[in-house]
Amino acid sequence: MAHDGNRPTDGIGGALDVIRRHRRPLYGFTVLVSVLTAVLGCAILAGGFAAAWDAFENVRDYADRNIANEDSYVAYADGGRPPLVRVGAVVSVLLLGLGLLVVSVLHTAYAVADSHATRDGGPLSVRELWRRTRRRLLAALAVNALTGLAVGAVELAALVMWGLVESGEVPGVEPTPLGETASPQYTLVGWVLPIAVGCLGPLLYSRLAPATAETVLERRSPFVALYRSWVLTRPARWRVLGVGALVTAVAVLVFWPARYAAAPLAHFAGLGMLSLSDDNVWITGVLVLITPTAVALLLLPPVVMPLVCAVFARLHGELRAREDAGAAAG
């Protein structure tokens, strides 16, 4: 697609051009989504802590009794762990659902904006962007849920491989004792193979990410959109891999520094929880542990997702244009 001064160019430059031309509605929409995400995410976490409050109190009482009797004890023993695990599972599912919704909304919005910019549709308001986004939001949710399941299955397989080796359940491969040199079998099966399988996750995501734009703009069913995404990216698989690696690297480079930068906030969150819980160190410890990760994750929608969504929306537009040009030439 040629750049005529009104339409976006190809590649990352084209994605940045779309963001630049429609920065007010896109960033305004992204900020609104990010704020709502933060509110809902904090509400889910607060609900989880409220649901687990009595369980944490029981853990403290158990520990205090053993300390008073000068007995040794194991944290979360005496039936204290199962209630917390159940609450944690529910909170995790709700947060994953929220994350799925956020990713679907933003991918859909940026696909709509990219199509609008390609047609040189003029100004675009936040209200209009949301109106067009919600039309195909359910289909986008289904596409991203299927994509997440596929990528998650690959990553889970990598973790299972690593876990089986570490537990000594792989015949002929023994975990390396502390302080000793790893055997070639352990290095290959315990590290190289799981890492190689884990790396397939971002590759698979990059091949399936344009499916959101396909279902939104071409009104494909979710399964057809995923298939079409796979077909569209096949001739440009190396380029798609490069794009996927780039946006993954950007996300990691934002997430990890943000996690460390948010560490001081965990101190203040811990002080607040200590005051609220009457010095319950168990519930405070959990809050301190998750705060940096929670803050880093909340920064991803406004900081990283605009680039990720714009790049994959532009990639889809480019691949569709090339396919149409090839069909016309044929």
Side-chain angles (χ1 to χ4, degrees):
M1 184 183 300
H3 179 54
D4 61 5
N6 293 318
R7 296 183 178 182
T9 58
D10 292 336
I12 296 177
L16 295 176
D17 183 49
V18 172
I19 294 176
R20 177 186 59 80
R21 291 175 54 197
H22 297 287
R23 58 185 178 273
R24 286 191 176 182
L26 281 175
Y27 275 111
F29 186 81
T30 302
V31 168
L32 287 174
V33 171
S34 301
V35 170
L36 289 174
T37 302
V39 171
L40 292 175
C42 290
I44 291 172
L45 288 176
F49 278 111
W53 197 272
D54 290 340
F56 278 114
E57 286 296 320
N58 292 335
V59 171
R60 176 168 65 174
D61 292 341
Y62 168 76
D64 288 345
R65 285 195 305 269
N66 283 271
I67 293 173
N69 295 330
E70 298 183 353
D71 294 332
S72 60
Y73 67 95
V74 177
Y76 302 109
D78 194 30
R81 186 179 295 273
L84 298 177
V85 171
R86 288 194 292 269
V87 173
V90 173
V91 169
S92 298
V93 170
L94 291 175
L95 290 177
L96 285 174
L98 178 61
L100 173 64
L101 178 61
V102 171
V103 169
S104 301
V105 168
L106 291 180
H107 268 300
T108 303
Y110 279 78
V112 168
D114 184 86
S115 176
H116 183 84
T118 301
R119 299 193 310 270
D120 193 23
L124 185 65
S125 66
V126 173
R127 185 183 299 273
E128 177 65 15
L129 185 60
W130 168 240
R131 187 182 69 83
R132 297 186 189 182
T133 296
R134 68 188 182 196
R135 291 176 180 174
R136 296 289 294 171
L137 184 54
L138 289 179
L141 274 169
V143 165
N144 283 281
L146 293 171
T147 301
L149 288 174
V151 175
V154 172
E155 299 302 326
L156 180 61
L159 289 174
V160 169
M161 289 180 186
W162 179 80
L164 290 175
V165 172
E166 289 297 312
S167 61
E169 297 185 20
V170 178
V173 180
E174 295 294 332
T176 303
L178 186 64
E180 296 188 15
T181 303
S183 65
Q185 295 89 343
Y186 175 78
T187 301
L188 178 62
V189 181
W191 287 98
V192 175
L193 185 58
I195 290 174
V197 173
C199 288
L200 294 177
L203 172 61
L204 182 61
Y205 179 77
S206 64
R207 293 289 301 271
L208 298 179
T212 302
E214 184 72 13
T215 194
V216 170
L217 302 178
E218 305 300 326
R219 297 188 174 274
R220 310 276 191 184
S221 69
F223 285 101
V224 174
L226 289 169
Y227 171 75
R228 286 288 300 148
S229 178
W230 191 266
V231 171
L232 285 172
T233 55
R234 185 182 299 155
R237 57 174 62 92
W238 289 110
R239 183 183 177 193
V240 170
L241 174 60
V243 170
L246 176 62
V247 296
T248 301
V250 171
V252 171
L253 289 175
V254 171
F255 175 79
W256 284 108
R259 189 172 180 273
Y260 286 109
L265 295 177
H267 172 72
F268 296 103
L271 292 176
M273 181 58 79
L274 281 174
S275 176
L276 186 65
S277 64
D278 192 22
D279 293 336
N280 188 328
V281 297
W282 306 97
I283 192 171
T284 300
V286 173
L287 179 62
V288 169
L289 183 65
I290 68 174
T291 295
T293 300
V295 172
L297 287 175
L298 290 175
L299 286 175
L300 291 182
V303 176
V304 176
M305 288 305 293
L307 176 63
V308 173
C309 296
V311 165
F312 281 117
R314 183 85 298 273
L315 179 65
H316 171 265
E318 177 189 350
L319 294 175
R320 284 283 303 178
R322 289 185 178 182
E323 183 185 61
D324 292 343

